[in-house]
Amino acid sequence: MASYNKVVLMGNATRDPEVRQTNSGKTVANLTLAVNKKTGGEETVAFVDVTLWERTAEIAQQYITKGSNLLIEGELVQDPWEQDGQKRSKLKVNAHRMVMVGKKEAEPVAAATRADDSPF
């Protein structure tokens, strides 16, 4: 049986990206994207954790701030951890591509793709 894992989201960053270096020296950035949905007269918001890598993470650190409007393409990944002896996990998006959609005054518009340019 075949499977396919691709996610495309557009929303606003809820905070500035948290950027760090991995032990192997790769740059990684984490942010949360607020994605709004209107159904009838009601609006709901989904908060999605997103991980950006390498050059995309560096661009995010330089240009993304709370409220930035972003288009994210990537794949769903399971993020497991253990807390108080309990195994836990959550779904998050491992971004392959980020596009800054809207811009604040004096904010340049840029796009980034992952280094290996794979089509997913």
Side-chain angles (χ1 to χ4, degrees):
M1 182 188 322
S3 63
Y4 186 72
N5 183 356
K6 182 175 181 177
V7 175
V8 179
L9 299 169
M10 187 181 310
N12 297 329
T14 63
R15 58 185 162 86
D16 294 354
E18 295 174 7
V19 181
R20 63 179 177 82
Q21 299 290 318
T22 65
N23 292 338
S24 62
K26 291 183 178 183
T27 305
V28 61
N30 292 300
L31 59 87
T32 301
L33 200 64
V35 180
N36 299 327
K37 178 181 176 182
K38 289 185 181 180
T39 307
E42 203 171 306
E43 184 172 353
T44 59
V45 181
F47 297 97
V48 182
D49 291 334
V50 177
T51 301
L52 308 163
W53 293 92
E54 311 254 6
R55 183 68 182 134
T56 308
E58 294 168 4
I59 290 170
Q61 181 178 32
Q62 188 174 2
Y63 295 110
I64 302 303
T65 58
K66 179 179 179 178
S68 294
N69 192 237
L70 304 172
L71 177 106
I72 299 289
E73 290 182 31
E75 62 186 349
L76 287 175
V77 293
Q78 195 76 28
D79 184 19
W81 75 94
E82 193 169 313
Q83 182 179 351
D84 301 326
Q86 298 281 338
K87 290 186 178 185
R88 299 178 181 268
S89 67
K90 67 178 176 178
L91 284 175
K92 66 179 186 176
V93 174
N94 190 20
H96 299 166
R97 184 168 182 251
M98 172 189 71
V99 177
M100 293 188 291
V101 178
K103 62 179 186 172
K104 296 179 181 175
E105 195 170 315
E107 180 182 297
V109 176
T113 58
R114 70 181 186 184
D116 66 3
D117 288 327
S118 70
F120 298 61

